[in-house]
Amino acid sequence: QVQLVESGGGLVQAGGSLRLSCAVSGVIFSVNTMGWYRQAPGKQREPVATITSDFSTNYADSVKGRFTISRDNAKNTVYLQMSSLKPEDTAVYYCNSRHPRFLDWDYWGQGTRVTVSS
């Protein structure tokens, strides 16, 4: 079955960096749009970054210039490189995989927690 497993979360000081990974199985990874979303305490889940099969990217305004999303189709893995981290980035980060045409093929990981201390 489809499985998305996030890793790389943890505790980091403000201004530091962290790299999240999401390993995907059970889907044709190369054709799917991949994304990272986050949910802070008391907040709704929000999109952070997405990357298409053509490697086109989109970022939330709050992370532009600080975060970079990438994908390695040979490893069926998507990454989120986070730099210049702020306490406001503290959240559980979720990986998402979505087929570009069959939009009901929409899968989520369990999440990885990122805590940025000030």
Side-chain angles (χ1 to χ4, degrees):
Q1 288 189 314
V2 176
Q3 187 170 222
L4 284 69
V5 181
E6 301 99 332
S7 62
L11 176 64
V12 64
Q13 293 183 337
S17 299
L18 210 58
R19 189 193 197 196
L20 307 183
S21 299
C22 174
V24 182
S25 62
V27 301
I28 306 175
F29 178 84
S30 61
V31 307
N32 277 18
T33 296
M34 301 297 302
W36 288 96
Y37 296 71
R38 68 187 182 187
Q39 186 168 20
K43 301 283 188 177
Q44 289 292 101
R45 185 180 63 188
E46 63 178 358
V48 175
T50 59
I51 183 167
T52 70
S53 61
D54 293 326
F55 300 92
S56 176
T57 59
N58 282 290
Y59 296 92
D61 288 342
S62 59
V63 307
K64 285 180 179 177
R66 300 189 298 118
F67 291 10
T68 301
I69 188 171
S70 61
R71 65 192 297 163
D72 186 339
N73 289 344
K75 296 182 178 180
N76 282 13
T77 301
V78 63
Y79 306 93
L80 186 68
Q81 178 66 51
M82 305 184 294
S83 300
S84 301
L85 283 162
K86 305 174 181 179
E88 305 91 271
D89 297 318
T90 295
V92 177
Y93 284 71
Y94 297 92
C95 181
N96 172 261
S97 179
R98 182 179 299 120
H99 194 279
R101 179 177 179 181
F102 304 114
L103 300 183
D104 55 337
W105 291 11
D106 189 359
Y107 308 103
W108 295 89
Q110 296 296 313
T112 186
R113 182 175 296 276
V114 172
T115 303
V116 184
S117 62
S118 60

